[in-house]
Amino acid sequence: MARKPCCHREGLNKGAWTSQEDKLLSDYISIHGLGRWRSLPKNAGLKRCGKSCRLRWLNYLRPDIKRGNITPEEEELIIRLHKLLGNRWSLIAGRLPGRTDNEIKNYWNTRLRKKLLQDCNPKPQKSQTDIPTTEMAHAVDVIRTKAVRCTRTFKQCFFNTNKASSSSASPPMKEFCMDGVTREGIGEIFVGDTDNNMSENVILDEASEDDNNMYQEGGLGGECLDPYFDADVWESWFL
DNA sequence: AAGCCCGCCAACCGCAACAGC
DNA sequence: GGCTGTTGCGGTTGGCGGGCT
């Protein structure tokens, strides 16, 4: 059964963008700025739907897009981030300046996934396109995280990364404080390690609603045991 | 040279979250 | 709190080009 098109208006262009369309879109955004994607095509004189315009801008026309091949350093970072976050492409892209979520997703699906699968299991088996995503995920040891979008502002609090903190005998505690800045649309939080005097912008794939509420009410000294946050991975990465 | 296969990647689509009323 | 429109995300599709037969 054919899927219902997202843009119901007839007469809209689909498929590859022409250079003229690109110019119309770029010129409009340079004058009027981003946003209001729904009305943008009409105002800019484009026969495209808003979603298409937004995607074209974010994935291709944006001035800070980095062209060229993914470097080995970027590839390594993608692998580590994917291990931590799973298929959270926008979050991963947020850690790679100039790279888009679409680009990283494509790179993962067409290259890294196969490469990692071969590393895990050098023996050829069934065609990789036949392997379900979930099976592939296990093959490369993906940690599935709970994903929510978060536009709330976090207040400062401490973050207990010690998963075994419920045990007795003064467990080793590491505390992280948050600066209250939430990057738009994602759960990326500034984190400082008070023990090691380091700081870092860290992606925290948000916890539950309750945890978010606690962050907001938060205050200094609060503890948060985030069930979706793998402290071992985090520590092996940053510490 | 022609046809086929396959990888790459831009673009599409559905859906969930968000924002405003 | 419910409704509605908008935005953003991630899975999927389809066209193109290069390699192989």
Side-chain angles (χ1 to χ4, degrees), chain A residues 154-163 165 172-180 189-204 214-215 218-226 229-239:
Chain A
F154 289 83
K155 290 189 177 174
Q156 200 170 33
C157 73
F158 289 101
F159 197 92
N160 176 14
T161 64
N162 177 23
K163 286 194 295 191
S165 63
M173 301 278 285
K174 286 195 183 301
E175 293 179 331
F176 302 93
C177 58
M178 302 171 188
D179 69 347
I189 301 168
F190 177 86
V191 172
D193 178 345
T194 55
D195 285 343
N196 296 318
N197 193 29
M198 58 81 78
S199 61
E200 177 70 73
N201 276 334
V202 172
I203 297 162
L204 290 178
M214 197 188 73
Y215 290 147
L220 295 168
E223 285 183 12
C224 172
L225 294 173
D226 181 348
F229 183 69
D230 191 319
D232 290 337
V233 172
W234 196 93
E235 289 191 5
S236 68
W237 182 15
F238 286 103
L239 303 183

Side-chain angles (χ1 to χ4, degrees), chain A residues 2-228:
Chain A
R3 288 198 281 188
K4 200 170 71 174
C6 69
C7 306
H8 302 289
R9 275 178 56 197
E10 291 186 4
L12 294 182
N13 293 342
K14 292 177 73 173
W17 280 64
T18 65
S19 55
Q20 189 180 5
E21 287 177 313
D22 283 345
K23 186 173 187 313
L24 279 172
L25 181 56
S26 296
D27 288 350
Y28 184 87
I29 288 175
S30 68
I31 294 169
H32 297 93
L34 296 174
R36 298 178 299 279
W37 295 108
R38 188 81 166 184
S39 57
L40 185 151
K42 187 182 174 187
N43 296 336
L46 283 160
K47 290 184 175 180
R48 295 274 181 173
C49 69
K51 288 175 91 171
S52 182
C53 293
R54 175 183 163 273
L55 208 63
R56 183 63 178 174
W57 173 259
L58 291 177
N59 289 337
Y60 195 81
L61 296 176
R62 224 169 18 138
D64 58 335
I65 292 277
K66 190 192 283 185
R67 302 283 174 202
N69 294 336
I70 302 278
T71 66
E73 291 77 21
E74 288 175 316
E75 180 178 308
E76 186 188 352
L77 186 56
I78 291 169
I79 292 169
R80 285 157 66 188
L81 286 166
H82 188 269
K83 188 180 174 91
L84 181 66
L85 298 171
N87 295 355
R88 305 282 297 148
W89 307 117
S90 61
L91 284 177
I92 294 172
R95 309 294 301 171
L96 291 149
R99 302 295 184 186
T100 69
D101 55 351
N102 207 33
E103 183 178 16
I104 291 167
K105 178 174 59 180
N106 283 333
Y107 189 74
W108 178 269
N109 286 331
T110 57
R111 302 184 195 190
L112 289 182
R113 208 169 70 160
K114 293 167 192 172
K115 183 180 171 184
L116 291 173
L117 189 74
Q118 281 175 354
D119 289 346
C120 290
N121 186 7
K123 279 194 296 186
Q125 38 172 234
K126 53 187 169 181
S127 165
Q128 279 149 358
T129 55
D130 296 337
I131 302 173
T133 304
T134 50
E135 190 178 332
M136 191 74 81
H138 289 307
V140 296
D141 192 25
V142 168
I143 297 167
R144 293 283 172 201
T145 57
K146 183 185 180 183
V148 295
R149 276 199 289 175
C150 179
T151 55
R152 291 191 183 93
T153 298
F154 289 83
K155 290 189 177 174
Q156 200 170 33
C157 73
F158 289 101
F159 197 92
N160 176 14
T161 64
N162 177 23
K163 286 194 295 191
S165 63
S166 57
S167 64
S168 58
S170 59
M173 301 278 285
K174 286 195 183 301
E175 293 179 331
F176 302 93
C177 58
M178 302 171 188
D179 69 347
V181 176
T182 299
R183 279 57 180 172
E184 187 180 359
I186 61 173
E188 182 174 292
I189 301 168
F190 177 86
V191 172
D193 178 345
T194 55
D195 285 343
N196 296 318
N197 193 29
M198 58 81 78
S199 61
E200 177 70 73
N201 276 334
V202 172
I203 297 162
L204 290 178
D205 215 23
E206 260 64 47
S208 65
E209 186 70 24
D210 288 341
D211 290 331
N212 285 342
N213 291 337
M214 197 188 73
Y215 290 147
Q216 290 194 295
E217 297 156 10
L220 295 168
E223 285 183 12
C224 172
L225 294 173
D226 181 348
Y228 304 100

